[in-house]
Amino acid sequence: MMYKKITLFAVIFLAATLWFFNNGHDIISEMTEKECSDDRFCSFEELDDEYEEGSDYEVINRTEGDEQWLFSAIHGGGIEETTSTLAEAASGSSYPFYAFKGKLSSNNFSNLHITSTHFDEPRALDMVSKADHHIAVHGAAGTESKTMIGGLDEKLKEIVRRHLEEKGFVVTGTPDHLNGEHPDNYTNKTKTEQGVQLEITRGQRKEFFKNGDISFSSRNDPSNETQAFKDYVEALREAVKTYESSNE
């Protein structure tokens, strides 16, 4: 009886193994494909095979400043307009800064957007792996002026929220698909495995520049920056200082 049970188990195990090798890989592939189905590319390597750095996109990786921190905009330039401009201004000369910036004449989002859980540009991964604290700036759809805040760094999130609200900005939680809580999200690939993800609506981003103009020429002219832009940058920098002083 025991021999029959062992034999039956072996047959079932063999059948399951054969099924997995024949079908399991396809299912896993379908799941992976679904996760990035809204993007043209599921990895930087795929994107880089199609587009050329310098002409189609550019990477900025400035390492000066306190290497415990990182400000980033992985959907910068024309992908999610104003995000790299804002992140670079907030980092200043005090903190490292990374940006992946779309430079196509049109359709930057549809062609160059790689979702945060798949974003694996090597210089980006190197910089975030050296940081303890990370503020990732993203753009979201919506005409309402607000910032949706996510990520796994609960302490820093609340400090950033408070400083933004003190400057008069509306800050809310995020819908599930923007919550920035997945461990594979670029935001959380720090030494501490956590970070803060800011999803700033288009309505809010348009308030950062005169006449709501977030075209390439407008957002690259500092004279077009509004007081709202300056207040937002100041709020982020003050949040970093508050966080640092709370740990002294």
Side-chain angles (χ1 to χ4, degrees):
M1 181 65 70
M2 181 62 69
Y3 175 78
K4 289 182 179 180
K5 288 183 178 180
I6 294 173
T7 302
L8 179 60
F9 175 80
V11 170
I12 293 172
F13 177 79
L14 178 60
T17 302
L18 290 172
W19 179 90
F20 176 81
F21 280 112
N22 288 329
N23 303 289
H25 177 73
D26 291 338
I27 291 174
I28 291 172
S29 297
E30 288 172 5
M31 290 172 62
T32 302
E33 183 179 350
K34 184 177 180 181
E35 288 174 0
C36 60
S37 61
D38 292 336
D39 292 328
R40 182 177 176 188
F41 305 110
C42 289
S43 71
F44 172 73
E45 183 178 8
E46 291 180 9
L47 183 150
D48 195 45
D49 285 341
E50 184 76 19
Y51 291 104
E52 183 176 350
E53 183 171 356
S55 58
D56 300 322
Y57 70 88
E58 67 177 325
V59 170
I60 299 176
N61 55 326
R62 194 181 63 232
T63 58
E64 294 83 6
D66 185 349
E67 63 180 14
Q68 293 184 81
W69 289 87
L70 175 65
F71 281 86
S72 76
I74 64 172
H75 302 143
I79 303 173
E80 292 171 352
E81 300 98 325
T82 81
T83 58
S84 50
T85 309
L86 181 68
E88 184 169 17
S91 67
S93 59
S94 302
Y95 310 104
F97 165 69
Y98 173 90
F100 180 90
K101 302 173 70 172
K103 297 182 64 178
L104 301 177
S105 58
S106 62
N107 299 319
N108 280 273
F109 184 91
S110 58
N111 287 305
L112 299 176
H113 181 280
I114 301 174
T115 191
S116 298
T117 52
H118 289 267
F119 192 82
D120 58 355
E121 195 280 316
R123 286 159 289 187
L125 295 180
D126 178 65
M127 289 192 72
V128 75
S129 70
K130 295 175 180 176
D132 295 302
H133 318 295
H134 183 198
I135 296 178
V137 180
H138 293 259
T143 57
E144 181 183 356
S145 297
K146 66 178 181 179
T147 297
M148 295 172 282
I149 189 166
L152 292 174
D153 192 333
E154 296 297 335
K155 178 180 178 180
L156 183 57
K157 272 200 305 187
E158 288 309 306
I159 292 174
V160 170
R161 177 195 293 272
R162 173 159 54 85
H163 280 281
L164 286 173
E165 289 177 340
E166 287 175 355
K167 294 290 186 182
F169 296 103
V170 175
V171 184
T172 70
T174 61
D176 289 344
H177 70 286
L178 294 177
N179 64 22
E181 295 180 0
H182 196 289
D184 288 338
N185 188 307
Y186 179 70
T187 303
N188 301 315
K189 290 190 174 181
T190 61
K191 290 183 190 176
T192 57
E193 300 182 342
Q194 57 186 5
V196 171
Q197 179 171 294
L198 302 178
E199 293 282 353
I200 308 172
T201 63
R202 189 173 184 83
Q204 179 65 78
R205 286 178 284 134
K206 290 181 73 172
E207 292 187 4
F208 291 154
F209 292 88
K210 292 178 181 177
N211 302 315
D213 184 0
I214 57 174
S215 64
F216 176 84
S217 58
S218 176
R219 66 179 186 269
N220 282 277
D221 182 352
S223 68
N224 287 325
E225 294 168 1
T226 63
Q227 188 61 46
F229 179 91
K230 297 171 185 176
D231 288 345
Y232 205 105
V233 168
E234 185 177 0
L236 294 182
R237 292 181 66 85
E238 288 178 352
V240 171
K241 293 176 182 177
T242 298
Y243 184 93
E244 291 177 324
S245 64
S246 70
N247 290 329
E248 291 178 352

